[in-house]
């Protein structure tokens, strides 16, 4: 009969003579522990001595006696050993040991590597943005010295006249030389900022204004840049408008497209006298193959960069156009509207907090703008612009400074169509007077209401003397005359339709005047905003002698 250890037979459970399992191979001999008893049991005698030893697979390594379990059935038969057995109660369930928890070192290493890579990417991105910013600022200011630029990133005082800063902004198509007149500054504008009262105005100067360019004779003002650059254009603007220019900015027309695309488009309001809106069928020569420059209904429209660029060029002088009754004046008005829309959109958090849009804005400025402002002055000017509300920025045109046309059509000796002041060739006195009114900090002066003064007393020269006083205060006195009849108290006829509230209040308080209506006098002076009829109470009292 074969030995049972040689034919592969293995009992399901091998026990010692007293019912306990042997201790795990290789382990220290264990003594049985009886729960609830403090008595130390007698050692268990060795059994089956003399049998050859064979190793048992060490599949379980319990950490303490209470957690010990029986080995799998395939390896649990009683094996000879020279060591005493350690018993385990038969009734204890057999369970697998808990799996060891994975150490967090690997996760920590992964997170550490990820953080390192992220930091490197951020550093590279920061260096890239910084380099682009430096290149754009260098192009913008014409200063390529990195050391001087590094020390210039702090606000610098602005050149000004009693707190007012005037910037000459000129635009041309130098970025697109595929058409005639690309170097001509077809857009000329003065941006004037009152830094003390946080208000400003944008004044457009028509490109066809006929002026005397020093050293070159009479020509359209848009040729001054071609003849002598921004310095010569500034000289002409200062002499004709009697205005001090502090800084220069040259912009090419692509700035409209790049800036608008950088901020994700703009919305502006089309307000045409034509119920159909505006339409200029002129060919968009920048695309070379299609499309009119502008066709939009009245109301709010959303423009992308290309549409903004085309609208900045459209003046409705092609056959079939509509909605451009003032041609180039309408074009410059649209340009001012778009600049305001760009300012509003670029100030929104969705743009400022977006690094990609900020980089595109910087690129748009660096690629399309040149200025003699330093980096520190740009920072100061930007800080002032942030404090300007849209309602505190006026949009003006030289032709309508006085509320009525101030320019007439003119044909040059060479047959060119141009514009000259209504006062006559080279007579810019009226325009200068109206511009000074816009520069004034006095709200009454800025209203520029027209006043007619009538003498309703027997005091000779009363209307003239009072008119001189009002003119000295910056008010506009259109005429002085005698009233149809004398009256005891001063009265005021208001035909301003609410457009000059400051002037109305000033005249009422100054002369203790009562507001009345007089259809006859209103018809006699239809262009007057106010008709002041001086009564006996306006006659100066004679000085008392001591």
């Amino acid at each position: 009969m074969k030995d049972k250890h040689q034919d592969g037979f293995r009992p399901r459970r091998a026990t010692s003579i007293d019912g306990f399992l042997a201790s795990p191979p290789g382990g220290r001999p264990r003594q049985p522990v009886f729960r609830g008893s403090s008595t130390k049991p007698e050692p268990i005698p060795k059994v089956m001595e003399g049998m050859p030893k064979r190793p048992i697979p060490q599949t379980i390594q319990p950490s303490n006696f209470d957690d010990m379990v029986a080995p799998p059935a395939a390896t649990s038969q009683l094996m000879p050993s020279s060591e005493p057995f350690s018993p385990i109660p038969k009734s204890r369930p057999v369970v697998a040991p808990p799996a060891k928890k994975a150490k967090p070192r690997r996760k920590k290493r992964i997170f550490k590597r990820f953080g390192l890579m992220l930091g490197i990417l951020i550093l590279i991105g920061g260096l890239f943005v910084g380099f682009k910013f430096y290149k754009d600022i260098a192009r913008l200011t014409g200063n390529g010295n990195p050391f001087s630029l590094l020390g210039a990133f702090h606000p610098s005082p602005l050149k000004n006249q009693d707190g007012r800063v005037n910037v000459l902004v000129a635009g041309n198509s130098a970025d697109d030389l595929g058409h005639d007149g690309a170097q001509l500054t077809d857009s000329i504008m003065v941006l004037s900022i009152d830094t003390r009262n946080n208000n400003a105005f944008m004044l457009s100067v028509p490109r066809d204004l006929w002026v005397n360019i020093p050293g070159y004779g009479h020509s359209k003002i848009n040729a001054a840049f071609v003849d002598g650059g921004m310095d010569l254009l500034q000289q002409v603007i200062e002499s004709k408008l009697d205005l001090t220019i502090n800084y220069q900015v040259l912009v090419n027309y692509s700035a409209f497209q790049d800036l608008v695309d950088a901020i994700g488009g703009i919305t502006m309001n089309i307000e045409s006298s034509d119920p159909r809106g505006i339409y200029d069928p002129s060919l968009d020569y920048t695309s070379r193959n299609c499309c009119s420059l502008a066709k939009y209904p009245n109301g709010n429209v959303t423009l992308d960069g290309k549409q903004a660029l085309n609208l900045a060029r459209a003046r409705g002088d092609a056959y079939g156009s509509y909605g451009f009754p003032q041609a180039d004046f309408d074009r410059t008005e649209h340009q001012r509207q778009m600049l305001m829309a760009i300012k509003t959109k670029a100030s929104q958090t969705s743009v400022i907090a977006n690094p990609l849009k900020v980089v595109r804005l910087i690129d748009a400025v660096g690629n399309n703008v040149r200025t003699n402002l330093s980096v520190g002055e740009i920072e100061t000017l930007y800080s002032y612009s942030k404090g300007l509300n849209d309602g505190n920025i006026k949009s003006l045109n030289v032709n309508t400074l006085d509320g009525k046309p101030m320019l007439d059509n003119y044909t040059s000796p060479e047959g060119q169509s141009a514009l000259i002041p209504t006062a006559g060739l080279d007579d810019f006195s009226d325009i200068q007077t109206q511009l000074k009114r816009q520069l004034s900090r006095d709200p009454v002066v800025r209203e520029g209401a027209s006043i007619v003064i009538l003498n309703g007393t027997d005091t000779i020269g009363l209307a003239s003397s009072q008119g001189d006083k009002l003119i000295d205060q910056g008010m506009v006195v259109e005429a002085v005359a005698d009233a149809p009849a004398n009256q005891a108290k001063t009265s005021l006829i208001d035909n301003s339709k609410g457009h000059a509230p400051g002037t109305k209040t000033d005249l009422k308080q100054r002369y203790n005047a009562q507001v009345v209506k007089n259809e006859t006098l209103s018809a006699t002076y239809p262009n007057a905003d106010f008709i002041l009829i001086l009564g006996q109470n306006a006659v100066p009292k004679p000085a008392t002698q001591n």
Side-chain angles (χ1 to χ4, degrees):
M1 186 176 210
K2 292 183 179 180
D3 187 275
K4 63 181 178 180
H5 295 289
Q6 300 297 321
D7 60 5
F9 172 79
R10 296 177 184 273
R12 291 189 177 182
R13 184 174 183 86
T15 60
S16 65
I17 57 176
D18 56 359
F20 294 108
L21 289 176
S23 61
R28 296 178 59 186
R30 299 173 180 259
Q31 297 297 327
V33 178
F34 297 89
R35 299 184 184 278
S37 173
S38 60
T39 304
K40 186 175 181 180
E42 294 294 330
I44 299 176
K46 298 180 181 179
V47 297
M48 301 178 69
E49 292 191 5
M51 288 188 68
K53 298 179 181 179
R54 58 184 294 186
I56 299 176
Q58 298 183 19
T59 58
I60 300 177
Q61 295 291 337
S63 60
N64 56 61
F65 185 83
D66 290 338
D67 292 333
M68 289 182 63
V69 296
T75 60
S76 61
Q77 71 183 52
L78 183 63
M79 302 300 296
S81 173
S82 60
E83 300 295 330
F85 289 11
S86 297
I88 298 177
K90 293 183 179 181
S91 60
R92 187 167 183 82
V94 179
V95 295
K100 294 183 179 180
K101 295 183 179 179
K103 296 183 179 180
R105 290 184 179 179
R106 186 176 181 183
K107 291 185 178 180
K108 289 182 179 180
R109 286 197 298 268
I110 293 175
F111 281 116
K112 189 174 182 179
R113 291 175 183 174
F114 177 77
L116 180 60
M117 292 177 62
L118 182 61
I120 293 174
L121 290 176
I122 292 175
L123 177 60
I124 293 174
L127 291 174
F128 174 74
V129 172
F131 177 75
K132 287 183 67 65
F133 184 73
Y134 158 71
K135 295 293 290 184
D136 289 330
I137 290 296
R139 288 198 301 267
L140 173 65
T141 61
N143 180 4
N145 186 340
F147 298 102
S148 65
L149 287 178
L150 286 174
F153 284 97
H154 60 273
S156 301
L158 293 170
K159 302 173 187 176
N160 65 91
Q161 297 78 45
D162 194 24
R164 182 169 291 278
V165 181
N166 297 321
V167 182
L168 173 62
V169 183
N172 64 10
S173 299
D175 57 312
D176 179 24
L177 300 177
H179 68 287
D180 294 336
Q183 291 286 351
L184 298 173
T185 51
D186 282 351
S187 293
I188 303 173
M189 189 182 303
V190 176
L191 173 63
S192 183
I193 303 175
D194 183 354
T195 61
R196 295 184 179 179
N197 295 306
N198 290 329
N199 60 61
F201 67 78
M202 295 182 293
L203 173 69
S204 290
V205 179
R207 64 172 193 164
D208 293 332
L209 189 62
W210 193 256
V211 297
N212 183 21
I213 301 176
Y216 295 90
H218 281 83
S219 181
K220 292 182 180 180
I221 195 170
N222 65 350
F225 175 78
V226 179
D227 295 333
M230 288 295 290
D231 289 340
L232 184 58
L233 177 60
Q234 176 178 330
Q235 183 180 347
V236 173
I237 290 292
E238 288 181 330
S239 64
K240 303 311 175 188
L241 300 184
D242 191 21
L243 187 67
T244 300
I245 298 296
N246 302 115
Y247 299 102
Q248 306 166 357
V249 176
L250 178 64
V251 185
N252 65 51
Y253 271 102
S254 291
F256 279 104
Q257 179 170 347
D258 294 346
L259 286 171
V260 171
D261 282 339
I263 59 179
I266 58 172
T267 299
M268 60 177 291
N269 188 26
I270 302 296
E271 297 177 293
S272 171
S273 57
D274 192 301
R276 295 172 294 180
I278 59 174
Y279 175 51
D280 186 339
S282 300
L283 178 65
D284 172 15
Y285 62 83
T286 60
S287 64
R288 311 296 181 193
N289 56 11
C290 77
C291 310
S292 58
L293 287 180
K295 186 175 183 180
Y296 300 106
N298 287 321
N300 288 334
V301 296
T302 300
L303 307 177
D304 61 21
K306 183 62 176 175
Q307 293 167 329
L309 174 61
N310 285 347
L311 184 57
R313 288 182 166 128
R315 57 178 179 268
D317 55 355
Y319 178 78
S321 298
Y322 58 77
F324 291 85
Q326 299 187 71
D328 193 56
F329 296 122
D330 293 317
R331 180 176 71 100
T332 56
E333 182 177 352
H334 291 150
Q335 291 173 356
R336 296 193 300 273
Q337 283 182 280
M338 284 189 286
L339 287 176
M340 288 296 300
I342 291 172
K343 172 189 176 296
T344 300
K345 184 70 174 290
S347 301
Q348 294 178 356
T349 305
S350 59
V351 174
I352 297 174
N354 188 324
L356 294 179
K357 290 186 177 181
V358 172
V359 170
R360 293 188 68 184
L361 273 174
I362 295 172
D363 273 348
V365 174
N367 292 335
N368 300 295
V369 181
R370 301 293 178 267
T371 182
N372 60 354
L373 281 153
S374 70
V375 178
E377 290 170 332
I378 292 174
E379 186 172 350
T380 303
L381 192 63
Y382 173 71
S383 66
Y384 281 126
S385 67
K386 289 194 301 183
L388 289 173
N389 296 324
D390 292 353
N392 292 336
I393 304 176
K394 298 180 68 174
S395 179
L396 305 172
N397 195 306
V398 166
N399 189 46
T400 55
L401 276 174
D402 193 25
K404 57 182 182 291
M406 303 193 71
L407 299 173
D408 284 335
N409 292 323
Y410 174 77
T411 302
S412 72
E414 296 81 12
Q416 297 185 64
S417 296
L419 296 168
I420 62 172
T422 55
L425 181 65
D426 293 330
D427 187 352
F428 288 85
S429 57
D430 289 345
I431 294 175
Q432 293 172 2
T433 299
Q434 295 304 320
L435 186 55
K436 283 183 172 62
R437 174 171 61 83
Q438 295 295 334
L439 296 171
S440 174
R441 289 195 174 97
D442 189 336
V444 173
V445 175
R446 287 201 302 271
E447 287 176 356
S450 59
I451 304 170
V452 170
I453 303 178
L454 303 180
N455 187 355
T457 72
D458 293 330
T459 303
I460 298 173
L462 179 63
S464 296
S465 62
Q466 293 301 311
D468 291 340
K469 291 181 179 180
L470 295 182
I471 291 173
D472 290 341
Q473 296 293 319
M475 298 186 188
V476 180
V477 178
E478 295 287 348
V480 294
D482 289 332
N486 290 353
Q487 58 186 40
K489 299 190 67 174
T490 300
S491 58
L492 180 66
I493 301 171
D494 179 11
N495 296 323
S496 68
K497 299 179 181 179
H499 296 310
T503 305
K504 179 178 179 179
T505 300
D506 183 277
L507 294 176
K508 285 177 60 179
Q509 294 178 352
R510 188 186 296 263
Y511 295 101
N512 192 23
Q514 180 181 3
V515 179
V516 298
K517 291 185 178 181
N518 189 313
E519 300 295 338
T520 302
L521 289 177
S522 295
T524 304
Y525 303 100
N527 295 324
D529 292 313
F530 297 98
I531 302 173
L532 181 67
I533 308 171
L534 299 175
Q536 191 63 36
N537 65 328
V539 177
K541 296 180 180 180
T544 57
Q545 297 181 355
N546 294 333

